[in-house]
């Protein structure tokens, strides 16, 4: 089979590279600002002085500290978040969202983040106070269960907070995707569309949820601008993850990361008791040190997690081509997504290792080309 590869727009690729560079630099600035603040709080004695005003029993002292820290960081980072989240996407044509709508979404996301974060802090500090010897183990277990719950609730609770979901009206396409799910031995609870175009010009699709909440969700931008064969191959990629049991694999990897992160944080907290004069590992003054140690470990693990993610994504790509036997639709869909979502087609090696959790467009085309050679 002869594979026809679409030509990517050179000017748009230059824009993609420029946008990616800007976003990386802004992320680095955010990292430096947050890291510097946490270091000042811990080693500048600010946290110790602040803890005198939080003379409550744990976990309530830590919960109040968390709220103060998040609100303070939110105020400090507000100009950067506005530029990064609202100005740049509109400037590069990735967003058509109005300021009021963007602000409402930010408020909802922040409220949800604070609520979840508050719950995690209360649980962790209750464990720190009551089970100082094994708190890290139970914290990892409970956080893994929370992550599993959120995965299950994504299509029924979390996504509807930001997008309107409704059943796909195209009967033929719905049947086509349902048959594809059966072919992939995947039970789904319907095929839905979300109004992505109300806020964004990008395209996306997903297989969201677990068990009886699992459903196919397609952005309306994908429905409107992609051929049925292209939509089918995009969803076949998502179904490939289910076939390979990638979700349980990622949950297991995440659980191990939680376990290591909390264990190393326990080591850091205990080692800091004498030099930083903390009253114990549950001392509220040590809260920013706990956050800092978790963040550093998470940052160090990112390249490894991205490498594993790219491996899983490449395997799902291969399954998508095999399930549909349509490498041409796969290539044209990937080309459209690369152009529409302003993705860099061929990032440098160091950028791919540090920042990319999906294979590049070039590698995806090469995969489809190999399939053609093997089946010809």
């Amino acid at each position: 089979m002869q594979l026809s590869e679409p030509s990517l727009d050179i000017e748009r690729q230059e824009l993609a590279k420029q946008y990616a560079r800007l976003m990386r630099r802004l992320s680095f600035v955010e990292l430096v600002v947050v890291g510097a603040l946490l270091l000042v709080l811990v080693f500048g004695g600010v946290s110790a002085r602040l803890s005198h005003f939080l003379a409550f029993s744990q976990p309530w002292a830590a919960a109040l500290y968390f709220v103060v820290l998040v609100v303070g960081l939110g105020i400090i980072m507000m100009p950067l978040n506005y530029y990064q989240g609202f100005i740049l996407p509109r400037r590069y044509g990735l967003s058509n969202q109005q300021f009021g709508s963007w602000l409402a979404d930010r408020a909802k996301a922040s409220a949800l983040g604070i609520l979840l974060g508050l719950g995690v802090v209360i649980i962790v500090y209750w464990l720190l106070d009551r089970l100082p010897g094994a708190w890290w183990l139970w914290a990892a277990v409970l956080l893994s269960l929370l992550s599993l719950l959120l995965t299950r609730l994504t299509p029924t609770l979390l996504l509807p907070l930001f997008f309107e979901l409704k059943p796909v009206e195209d009967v033929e396409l719905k049947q086509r995707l349902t048959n594809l799910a059966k072919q992939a031995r995947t039970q789904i609870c319907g095929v839905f569309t979300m109004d992505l175009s109300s806020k964004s010009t990008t395209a996306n699709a997903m297989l969201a949820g677990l068990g009886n909440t699992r459903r196919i969700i397609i952005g309306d931008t994908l429905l409107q601008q992609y051929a049925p064969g292209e939509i089918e191959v995009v969803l076949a990629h998502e179904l490939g993850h289910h076939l390979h049991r990638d979700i349980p694999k990622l949950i297991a990897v995440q659980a191990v990361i939680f376990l290591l992160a909390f264990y190393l944080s326990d080591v850091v907290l205990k080692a800091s008791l004498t030099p930083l004069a903390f009253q114990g590992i549950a001392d509220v003054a040590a809260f920013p040190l706990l956050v800092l140690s978790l963040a550093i470990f998470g940052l160090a693990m990112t390249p490894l997690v991205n490498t594993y993610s790219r491996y899983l994504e490449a395997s799902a790509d291969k399954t998508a081509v095999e399930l549909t036997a349509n490498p041409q639709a796969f290539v044209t869909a990937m080309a459209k997504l690369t152009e529409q979502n302003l993705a860099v087609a061929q990032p440098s090696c160091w950028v791919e290792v540090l920042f990319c959790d999906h294979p590049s467009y070039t590698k995806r085309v090469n995969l489809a080309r190999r399939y053609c050679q093997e089946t010809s």
Side-chain angles (χ1 to χ4, degrees), residues 53-127:
F53 298 96
L54 304 172
F56 307 101
S57 60
Q58 291 291 24
W60 312 116
L64 185 55
Y65 198 131
F66 169 77
V67 172
V68 171
L69 184 61
V70 168
V71 171
L73 271 174
I75 293 170
I76 293 170
M77 302 303 295
M78 194 179 296
L80 181 62
N81 289 334
Y82 170 68
Y83 183 71
Q84 186 179 33
F86 182 72
I87 296 296
L88 273 185
R90 286 179 63 88
R91 180 178 296 171
Y92 282 85
L94 294 173
S95 171
N96 52 23
Q97 192 172 21
Q98 298 302 310
F99 178 71
S101 173
W102 175 82
L103 197 61
D105 277 355
R106 286 290 302 179
K108 283 187 283 188
S110 297
L112 186 62
I114 289 174
L115 185 63
L116 289 172
L118 200 56
V120 170
V121 167
I122 288 172
I123 289 170
V124 168
Y125 268 84
W126 186 90
L127 292 168

Side-chain angles (χ1 to χ4, degrees), residues 8-9 12-13 16 94 202-203 226 330-347 359-362 364-365:
L8 297 180
D9 186 283
R12 192 151 179 83
Q13 274 301 294
L94 294 173
T202 61
Y226 290 66
F330 177 80
V331 169
T332 54
M334 291 303 111
K336 284 184 177 181
L337 287 168
T338 299
E339 296 269 59
Q340 188 170 356
N341 296 351
L342 207 62
V344 178
Q346 192 169 4
S360 66
Y361 166 75
T362 304
R364 290 178 138 170
V365 170

Side-chain angles (χ1 to χ4, degrees), residues 17-27 83-84 88 91-92:
K17 292 174 185 176
Q18 188 182 89
Y19 180 72
R21 279 196 300 269
L22 276 171
M23 294 300 284
R24 286 196 300 269
R25 289 169 184 171
L26 290 173
S27 296
Y83 183 71
Q84 186 179 33
L88 273 185
R91 180 178 296 171
Y92 282 85

Side-chain angles (χ1 to χ4, degrees), residues 293-312:
S293 60
L294 290 171
I296 290 173
F297 180 79
L299 197 62
M301 290 297 295
T302 298
L304 290 175
V305 173
N306 282 346
T307 300
Y308 184 58
S309 176
R310 288 194 303 274
Y311 166 75
L312 296 181

Side-chain angles (χ1 to χ4, degrees), residues 13 28 48 52 102 113 115 118 139 161 167 186 189 264 274 311 357:
Q13 274 301 294
F28 179 74
H52 295 313
W102 175 82
L115 185 63
L118 200 56
L161 288 174
T186 304
C189 300
L264 291 174
T274 301
Y311 166 75
D357 56 6

